[in-house]
Amino acid sequence: MEPMDIDLQALEQRITDLEIKASFAEDTVEQLNQVVVRQQAQIDRLVQELVELRDRAASAEPGGFPSLRDELPPHY
């Protein structure tokens, strides 16, 4: 084998290795993107629930939140 053949084989192997790494990196980025999308949807739902809770609290008690005494069960 000539030195040129060895260099060419080494370069081909390096290119193959880089293509494999790039493929794994693309998969990882896609998985992370899916996680971010799910988390953003969850954040949006939680924000909506918070807004609804604030609206309910504001409409239920004009003076603010109910006291803990109002929350006691009847047998106390």
Side-chain angles (χ1 to χ4, degrees):
M1 266 195 199
E2 293 182 31
M4 187 73 153
D5 289 338
I6 294 172
D7 290 341
L8 187 58
Q9 287 176 348
L11 286 175
E12 286 176 351
Q13 184 60 47
R14 288 181 66 193
I15 290 172
T16 300
D17 291 344
L18 289 172
E19 288 173 338
I20 291 169
K21 287 180 182 181
S23 177
F24 280 117
E26 287 175 1
D27 289 345
T28 301
V29 168
E30 180 57 33
Q31 290 173 3
L32 290 173
N33 186 50
Q34 291 172 4
V35 168
V36 169
V37 168
R38 281 194 312 268
Q39 287 179 339
Q40 186 59 51
Q42 185 178 26
I43 289 169
D44 292 343
R45 283 191 309 271
L46 290 171
V47 168
Q48 183 61 37
E49 286 181 32
L50 179 62
V51 168
E52 290 171 7
L53 286 172
R54 283 183 181 166
D55 290 346
R56 258 195 269 162
S59 66
E61 291 277 334
F65 293 100
S67 75
L68 291 178
R69 290 257 179 228
D70 297 337
E71 297 294 323
L72 289 176
H75 64 277
Y76 278 101

